[in-house]
mmCIF file of all heavy atoms in Angstrom:
data_model
loop_
_atom_site.group_PDB
_atom_site.id
_atom_site.type_symbol
_atom_site.label_atom_id
_atom_site.label_comp_id
_atom_site.label_asym_id
_atom_site.label_seq_id
_atom_site.Cartn_x
_atom_site.Cartn_y
_atom_site.Cartn_z
ATOM 1 N N ASP A 1 113.449 79.973 99.452
ATOM 2 C CA ASP A 1 112.189 80.354 98.814
ATOM 3 C C ASP A 1 111.959 79.508 97.563
ATOM 4 O O ASP A 1 112.869 79.348 96.740
ATOM 5 C CB ASP A 1 112.193 81.834 98.430
ATOM 6 C CG ASP A 1 112.023 82.736 99.635
ATOM 7 O OD1 ASP A 1 111.613 82.242 100.700
ATOM 8 O OD2 ASP A 1 112.328 83.946 99.527
ATOM 9 N N LEU A 2 110.738 79.016 97.441
ATOM 10 C CA LEU A 2 110.324 78.275 96.251
ATOM 11 C C LEU A 2 109.394 79.176 95.446
ATOM 12 O O LEU A 2 108.384 79.663 95.968
ATOM 13 C CB LEU A 2 109.612 76.981 96.652
ATOM 14 C CG LEU A 2 109.304 75.981 95.542
ATOM 15 C CD1 LEU A 2 110.575 75.481 94.887
ATOM 16 C CD2 LEU A 2 108.502 74.809 96.107
ATOM 17 N N PHE A 3 109.738 79.421 94.166
ATOM 18 C CA PHE A 3 108.999 80.346 93.324
ATOM 19 C C PHE A 3 108.174 79.565 92.298
ATOM 20 O O PHE A 3 108.661 78.601 91.695
ATOM 21 C CB PHE A 3 109.961 81.289 92.592
ATOM 22 C CG PHE A 3 110.668 82.262 93.504
ATOM 23 C CD1 PHE A 3 111.856 81.914 94.118
ATOM 24 C CD2 PHE A 3 110.136 83.518 93.751
ATOM 25 C CE1 PHE A 3 112.511 82.797 94.956
ATOM 26 C CE2 PHE A 3 110.781 84.411 94.578
ATOM 27 C CZ PHE A 3 111.973 84.059 95.192
ATOM 28 N N PHE A 4 106.921 80.038 92.107
ATOM 29 C CA PHE A 4 106.021 79.455 91.127
ATOM 30 C C PHE A 4 105.538 80.553 90.177
ATOM 31 O O PHE A 4 105.240 81.670 90.618
ATOM 32 C CB PHE A 4 104.791 78.819 91.796
ATOM 33 C CG PHE A 4 105.109 77.720 92.751
ATOM 34 C CD1 PHE A 4 105.292 77.980 94.103
ATOM 35 C CD2 PHE A 4 105.233 76.408 92.310
ATOM 36 C CE1 PHE A 4 105.579 76.968 94.988
ATOM 37 C CE2 PHE A 4 105.521 75.387 93.195
ATOM 38 C CZ PHE A 4 105.695 75.662 94.532
ATOM 39 N N VAL A 5 105.467 80.230 88.883
ATOM 40 C CA VAL A 5 104.877 81.127 87.903
ATOM 41 C C VAL A 5 103.824 80.343 87.131
ATOM 42 O O VAL A 5 103.899 79.117 87.004
ATOM 43 C CB VAL A 5 105.925 81.698 86.927
ATOM 44 C CG1 VAL A 5 106.902 82.589 87.644
ATOM 45 C CG2 VAL A 5 106.654 80.589 86.187
ATOM 46 N N GLY A 6 102.829 81.076 86.626
ATOM 47 C CA GLY A 6 101.767 80.403 85.894
ATOM 48 C C GLY A 6 100.751 81.384 85.366
ATOM 49 O O GLY A 6 101.102 82.476 84.889
ATOM 50 N N ASP A 7 99.500 81.005 85.480
ATOM 51 C CA ASP A 7 98.406 81.780 84.897
ATOM 52 C C ASP A 7 98.007 82.934 85.818
ATOM 53 O O ASP A 7 96.850 83.071 86.228
ATOM 54 C CB ASP A 7 97.218 80.859 84.641
ATOM 55 C CG ASP A 7 96.178 81.498 83.731
ATOM 56 O OD1 ASP A 7 96.514 82.518 83.096
ATOM 57 O OD2 ASP A 7 95.048 80.990 83.664
ATOM 58 N N THR A 8 98.953 83.779 86.134
ATOM 59 C CA THR A 8 98.724 84.936 86.990
ATOM 60 C C THR A 8 99.886 85.908 86.817
ATOM 61 O O THR A 8 100.978 85.514 86.387
ATOM 62 C CB THR A 8 98.598 84.516 88.467
ATOM 63 O OG1 THR A 8 98.456 85.680 89.276
ATOM 64 C CG2 THR A 8 99.828 83.744 88.913
ATOM 65 N N SER A 9 99.651 87.172 87.171
ATOM 66 C CA SER A 9 100.713 88.176 87.106
ATOM 67 C C SER A 9 101.616 88.131 88.332
ATOM 68 O O SER A 9 102.659 88.810 88.354
ATOM 69 C CB SER A 9 100.103 89.571 86.959
ATOM 70 O OG SER A 9 99.257 89.863 88.069
ATOM 71 N N ASP A 10 101.243 87.373 89.342
ATOM 72 C CA ASP A 10 102.048 87.261 90.556
ATOM 73 C C ASP A 10 103.061 86.138 90.441
ATOM 74 O O ASP A 10 102.778 85.083 89.859
ATOM 75 C CB ASP A 10 101.157 87.004 91.775
ATOM 76 C CG ASP A 10 100.201 88.151 92.044
ATOM 77 O OD1 ASP A 10 100.509 89.276 91.588
ATOM 78 O OD2 ASP A 10 99.150 87.926 92.675
ATOM 79 N N ILE A 11 104.230 86.367 91.014
ATOM 80 C CA ILE A 11 105.254 85.329 91.156
ATOM 81 C C ILE A 11 105.154 84.824 92.584
ATOM 82 O O ILE A 11 105.575 85.493 93.546
ATOM 83 C CB ILE A 11 106.653 85.875 90.843
ATOM 84 C CG1 ILE A 11 106.686 86.435 89.415
ATOM 85 C CG2 ILE A 11 107.707 84.786 91.006
ATOM 86 C CD1 ILE A 11 107.966 87.156 89.075
ATOM 87 N N VAL A 12 104.576 83.646 92.753
ATOM 88 C CA VAL A 12 104.246 83.115 94.073
ATOM 89 C C VAL A 12 105.518 82.688 94.786
ATOM 90 O O VAL A 12 106.389 82.018 94.203
ATOM 91 C CB VAL A 12 103.261 81.938 93.943
ATOM 92 C CG1 VAL A 12 102.902 81.387 95.316
ATOM 93 C CG2 VAL A 12 102.014 82.371 93.187
ATOM 94 N N ARG A 13 105.613 83.062 96.075
ATOM 95 C CA ARG A 13 106.771 82.714 96.907
ATOM 96 C C ARG A 13 106.316 81.844 98.070
ATOM 97 O O ARG A 13 105.374 82.188 98.781
ATOM 98 C CB ARG A 13 107.448 83.973 97.448
ATOM 99 C CG ARG A 13 107.977 84.918 96.379
ATOM 100 C CD ARG A 13 108.328 86.264 97.001
ATOM 101 N NE ARG A 13 109.310 86.125 98.057
ATOM 102 C CZ ARG A 13 109.455 87.004 99.067
ATOM 103 N NH1 ARG A 13 108.631 88.042 99.151
ATOM 104 N NH2 ARG A 13 110.382 86.820 99.980
ATOM 105 N N LEU A 14 106.994 80.731 98.234
ATOM 106 C CA LEU A 14 106.731 79.831 99.350
ATOM 107 C C LEU A 14 108.034 79.591 100.074
ATOM 108 O O LEU A 14 108.973 79.019 99.515
ATOM 109 C CB LEU A 14 106.143 78.513 98.839
ATOM 110 C CG LEU A 14 105.908 77.428 99.886
ATOM 111 C CD1 LEU A 14 104.872 77.873 100.917
ATOM 112 C CD2 LEU A 14 105.465 76.126 99.221
ATOM 113 N N ASN A 15 108.110 80.039 101.332
ATOM 114 C CA ASN A 15 109.325 79.872 102.129
ATOM 115 C C ASN A 15 109.286 78.514 102.819
ATOM 116 O O ASN A 15 108.371 78.219 103.598
ATOM 117 C CB ASN A 15 109.443 80.990 103.157
ATOM 118 C CG ASN A 15 110.782 80.961 103.864
ATOM 119 O OD1 ASN A 15 110.946 80.309 104.888
ATOM 120 N ND2 ASN A 15 111.758 81.663 103.297
ATOM 121 N N LEU A 16 110.273 77.668 102.516
ATOM 122 C CA LEU A 16 110.303 76.321 103.067
ATOM 123 C C LEU A 16 110.850 76.286 104.490
ATOM 124 O O LEU A 16 110.648 75.286 105.197
ATOM 125 C CB LEU A 16 111.146 75.411 102.161
ATOM 126 C CG LEU A 16 110.679 75.293 100.712
ATOM 127 C CD1 LEU A 16 111.527 74.273 99.966
ATOM 128 C CD2 LEU A 16 109.214 74.934 100.617
ATOM 129 N N GLU A 17 111.533 77.332 104.912
ATOM 130 C CA GLU A 17 112.034 77.376 106.297
ATOM 131 C C GLU A 17 110.908 77.719 107.273
ATOM 132 O O GLU A 17 110.764 77.089 108.321
ATOM 133 C CB GLU A 17 113.156 78.399 106.404
ATOM 134 C CG GLU A 17 113.793 78.451 107.780
ATOM 135 C CD GLU A 17 114.905 79.484 107.859
ATOM 136 O OE1 GLU A 17 115.046 80.278 106.910
ATOM 137 O OE2 GLU A 17 115.632 79.485 108.868
ATOM 138 N N LYS A 18 110.086 78.703 106.890
ATOM 139 C CA LYS A 18 108.969 79.095 107.743
ATOM 140 C C LYS A 18 107.726 78.255 107.483
ATOM 141 O O LYS A 18 106.820 78.207 108.320
ATOM 142 C CB LYS A 18 108.632 80.567 107.508
ATOM 143 C CG LYS A 18 109.771 81.511 107.866
ATOM 144 C CD LYS A 18 109.377 82.960 107.580
ATOM 145 C CE LYS A 18 110.519 83.905 107.917
ATOM 146 N NZ LYS A 18 110.163 85.326 107.635
ATOM 147 N N GLY A 19 107.656 77.656 106.287
ATOM 148 C CA GLY A 19 106.495 76.865 105.952
ATOM 149 C C GLY A 19 105.265 77.685 105.663
ATOM 150 O O GLY A 19 104.145 77.267 105.998
ATOM 151 N N GLN A 20 105.428 78.836 105.024
ATOM 152 C CA GLN A 20 104.285 79.696 104.728
ATOM 153 C C GLN A 20 104.540 80.490 103.451
ATOM 154 O O GLN A 20 105.678 80.654 103.018
ATOM 155 C CB GLN A 20 104.032 80.666 105.887
ATOM 156 C CG GLN A 20 105.163 81.648 106.115
ATOM 157 C CD GLN A 20 104.902 82.564 107.298
ATOM 158 O OE1 GLN A 20 104.103 82.258 108.173
ATOM 159 N NE2 GLN A 20 105.591 83.686 107.335
ATOM 160 N N PHE A 21 103.440 80.977 102.867
ATOM 161 C CA PHE A 21 103.543 81.835 101.689
ATOM 162 C C PHE A 21 103.975 83.229 102.103
ATOM 163 O O PHE A 21 103.527 83.757 103.139
ATOM 164 C CB PHE A 21 102.199 81.911 100.949
ATOM 165 C CG PHE A 21 101.840 80.668 100.195
ATOM 166 C CD1 PHE A 21 100.938 79.750 100.720
ATOM 167 C CD2 PHE A 21 102.411 80.411 98.958
ATOM 168 C CE1 PHE A 21 100.608 78.599 100.028
ATOM 169 C CE2 PHE A 21 102.081 79.264 98.247
ATOM 170 C CZ PHE A 21 101.188 78.357 98.782
ATOM 171 N N LEU A 22 104.824 83.833 101.274
ATOM 172 C CA LEU A 22 105.250 85.209 101.472
ATOM 173 C C LEU A 22 104.583 86.097 100.430
ATOM 174 O O LEU A 22 103.930 85.614 99.492
ATOM 175 C CB LEU A 22 106.772 85.303 101.367
ATOM 176 C CG LEU A 22 107.580 84.431 102.339
ATOM 177 C CD1 LEU A 22 109.071 84.634 102.105
ATOM 178 C CD2 LEU A 22 107.219 84.740 103.787
ATOM 179 N N ALA A 23 104.744 87.400 100.611
ATOM 180 C CA ALA A 23 104.146 88.346 99.671
ATOM 181 C C ALA A 23 104.704 88.107 98.275
ATOM 182 O O ALA A 23 105.929 88.076 98.084
ATOM 183 C CB ALA A 23 104.427 89.774 100.116
ATOM 184 N N PRO A 24 103.857 87.905 97.276
ATOM 185 C CA PRO A 24 104.361 87.598 95.927
ATOM 186 C C PRO A 24 104.964 88.830 95.257
ATOM 187 O O PRO A 24 104.688 89.967 95.634
ATOM 188 C CB PRO A 24 103.105 87.123 95.197
ATOM 189 C CG PRO A 24 101.983 87.836 95.875
ATOM 190 C CD PRO A 24 102.381 87.939 97.324
ATOM 191 N N PHE A 25 105.785 88.562 94.242
ATOM 192 C CA PHE A 25 106.304 89.642 93.405
ATOM 193 C C PHE A 25 105.220 90.021 92.380
ATOM 194 O O PHE A 25 104.656 89.149 91.718
ATOM 195 C CB PHE A 25 107.573 89.212 92.674
ATOM 196 C CG PHE A 25 108.745 88.970 93.581
ATOM 197 C CD1 PHE A 25 109.807 88.158 93.177
ATOM 198 C CD2 PHE A 25 108.802 89.537 94.840
ATOM 199 C CE1 PHE A 25 110.887 87.938 94.004
ATOM 200 C CE2 PHE A 25 109.886 89.323 95.681
ATOM 201 C CZ PHE A 25 110.922 88.516 95.264
ATOM 202 N N GLN A 26 104.960 91.314 92.245
ATOM 203 C CA GLN A 26 103.953 91.791 91.317
ATOM 204 C C GLN A 26 104.603 92.069 89.960
ATOM 205 O O GLN A 26 105.376 93.012 89.823
ATOM 206 C CB GLN A 26 103.285 93.057 91.854
ATOM 207 C CG GLN A 26 102.542 92.862 93.164
ATOM 208 C CD GLN A 26 101.309 91.996 93.005
ATOM 209 O OE1 GLN A 26 100.718 91.955 91.922
ATOM 210 N NE2 GLN A 26 100.933 91.293 94.063
ATOM 211 N N GLY A 27 104.264 91.261 88.965
ATOM 212 C CA GLY A 27 104.807 91.446 87.622
ATOM 213 C C GLY A 27 103.933 92.335 86.760
ATOM 214 O O GLY A 27 102.788 92.662 87.113
ATOM 215 N N ASN A 28 104.458 92.732 85.613
ATOM 216 C CA ASN A 28 103.735 93.588 84.679
ATOM 217 C C ASN A 28 102.967 92.806 83.624
ATOM 218 O O ASN A 28 102.179 93.381 82.873
ATOM 219 C CB ASN A 28 104.703 94.551 83.982
ATOM 220 C CG ASN A 28 105.288 95.574 84.947
ATOM 221 O OD1 ASN A 28 104.662 95.902 85.960
ATOM 222 N ND2 ASN A 28 106.480 96.054 84.650
ATOM 223 N N SER A 29 103.199 91.505 83.506
ATOM 224 C CA SER A 29 102.550 90.678 82.484
ATOM 225 C C SER A 29 101.358 89.937 83.080
ATOM 226 O O SER A 29 101.240 89.796 84.305
ATOM 227 C CB SER A 29 103.547 89.686 81.892
ATOM 228 O OG SER A 29 104.653 90.350 81.326
ATOM 229 N N THR A 30 100.520 89.451 82.189
ATOM 230 C CA THR A 30 99.315 88.742 82.641
ATOM 231 C C THR A 30 99.615 87.330 83.118
ATOM 232 O O THR A 30 98.966 86.835 84.038
ATOM 233 C CB THR A 30 98.276 88.703 81.510
ATOM 234 O OG1 THR A 30 98.868 88.080 80.355
ATOM 235 C CG2 THR A 30 97.828 90.114 81.138
ATOM 236 N N CYS A 31 100.588 86.666 82.497
ATOM 237 C CA CYS A 31 100.954 85.312 82.910
ATOM 238 C C CYS A 31 102.395 85.034 82.487
ATOM 239 O O CYS A 31 102.931 85.684 81.584
ATOM 240 C CB CYS A 31 100.020 84.268 82.321
ATOM 241 S SG CYS A 31 99.935 84.263 80.523
ATOM 242 N N TYR A 32 103.010 84.040 83.129
ATOM 243 C CA TYR A 32 104.411 83.690 82.892
ATOM 244 C C TYR A 32 104.504 82.202 82.556
ATOM 245 O O TYR A 32 103.783 81.370 83.120
ATOM 246 C CB TYR A 32 105.265 84.006 84.117
ATOM 247 C CG TYR A 32 105.343 85.483 84.443
ATOM 248 C CD1 TYR A 32 104.420 86.065 85.312
ATOM 249 C CD2 TYR A 32 106.315 86.293 83.878
ATOM 250 C CE1 TYR A 32 104.479 87.412 85.616
ATOM 251 C CE2 TYR A 32 106.381 87.643 84.172
ATOM 252 C CZ TYR A 32 105.463 88.193 85.034
ATOM 253 O OH TYR A 32 105.520 89.534 85.316
ATOM 254 N N ASN A 33 105.435 81.893 81.647
ATOM 255 C CA ASN A 33 105.622 80.504 81.205
ATOM 256 C C ASN A 33 106.847 79.832 81.800
ATOM 257 O O ASN A 33 106.880 78.601 81.890
ATOM 258 C CB ASN A 33 105.739 80.448 79.682
ATOM 259 C CG ASN A 33 104.473 80.903 78.985
ATOM 260 O OD1 ASN A 33 103.372 80.679 79.483
ATOM 261 N ND2 ASN A 33 104.623 81.555 77.845
ATOM 262 N N ALA A 34 107.871 80.597 82.149
ATOM 263 C CA ALA A 34 109.138 80.001 82.595
ATOM 264 C C ALA A 34 109.777 80.875 83.651
ATOM 265 O O ALA A 34 109.584 82.109 83.679
ATOM 266 C CB ALA A 34 110.092 79.824 81.412
ATOM 267 N N ILE A 35 110.552 80.249 84.512
ATOM 268 C CA ILE A 35 111.328 80.948 85.534
ATOM 269 C C ILE A 35 112.656 80.242 85.689
ATOM 270 O O ILE A 35 112.735 79.011 85.599
ATOM 271 C CB ILE A 35 110.556 81.000 86.876
ATOM 272 C CG1 ILE A 35 111.363 81.776 87.921
ATOM 273 C CG2 ILE A 35 110.229 79.603 87.381
ATOM 274 C CD1 ILE A 35 110.605 82.029 89.205
ATOM 275 N N LYS A 36 113.710 81.015 85.902
ATOM 276 C CA LYS A 36 115.055 80.452 86.075
ATOM 277 C C LYS A 36 115.826 81.353 87.035
ATOM 278 O O LYS A 36 115.792 82.582 86.926
ATOM 279 C CB LYS A 36 115.788 80.353 84.737
ATOM 280 C CG LYS A 36 117.149 79.688 84.808
ATOM 281 C CD LYS A 36 117.052 78.224 85.221
ATOM 282 C CE LYS A 36 116.364 77.396 84.163
ATOM 283 N NZ LYS A 36 116.412 75.943 84.513
ATOM 284 N N ILE A 37 116.528 80.738 87.984
ATOM 285 C CA ILE A 37 117.345 81.454 88.967
ATOM 286 C C ILE A 37 118.803 81.193 88.652
ATOM 287 O O ILE A 37 119.233 80.041 88.549
ATOM 288 C CB ILE A 37 117.012 81.014 90.398
ATOM 289 C CG1 ILE A 37 115.532 81.299 90.703
ATOM 290 C CG2 ILE A 37 117.914 81.713 91.407
ATOM 291 C CD1 ILE A 37 115.097 80.824 92.071
ATOM 292 N N ASN A 38 119.581 82.274 88.488
ATOM 293 C CA ASN A 38 120.996 82.138 88.185
ATOM 294 C C ASN A 38 121.756 81.701 89.429
ATOM 295 O O ASN A 38 121.670 82.357 90.475
ATOM 296 C CB ASN A 38 121.542 83.481 87.671
ATOM 297 C CG ASN A 38 122.917 83.347 87.061
ATOM 298 O OD1 ASN A 38 123.874 82.929 87.708
ATOM 299 N ND2 ASN A 38 123.030 83.697 85.800
#
C-alpha cells in the first residue's frame, strides 16, 4: 500500500499489487503535513 497525505482529512491508500485505490483512512484533522511508517 502506498499512502498519501495532504490537503484533506483522508489518508489516501493506493494498492500497488491490485493497481487500484482502496478505502481511505478517515482522520480527525482537516489536513496532514507528514506521514511515516515504522
Side-chain angles (χ1 to χ4, degrees):
D1 285 344
L2 189 62
F3 292 88
F4 300 92
V5 294
D7 194 15
T8 177
S9 60
D10 297 338
I11 302 173
V12 181
R13 300 167 58 205
L14 176 63
N15 188 271
L16 301 185
E17 184 180 10
K18 298 179 181 180
Q20 64 182 21
F21 287 100
L22 302 180
F25 293 158
Q26 298 292 332
N28 292 333
S29 302
T30 57
C31 58
Y32 295 91
N33 296 326
I35 182 172
K36 184 64 67 174
I37 300 177
N38 192 300

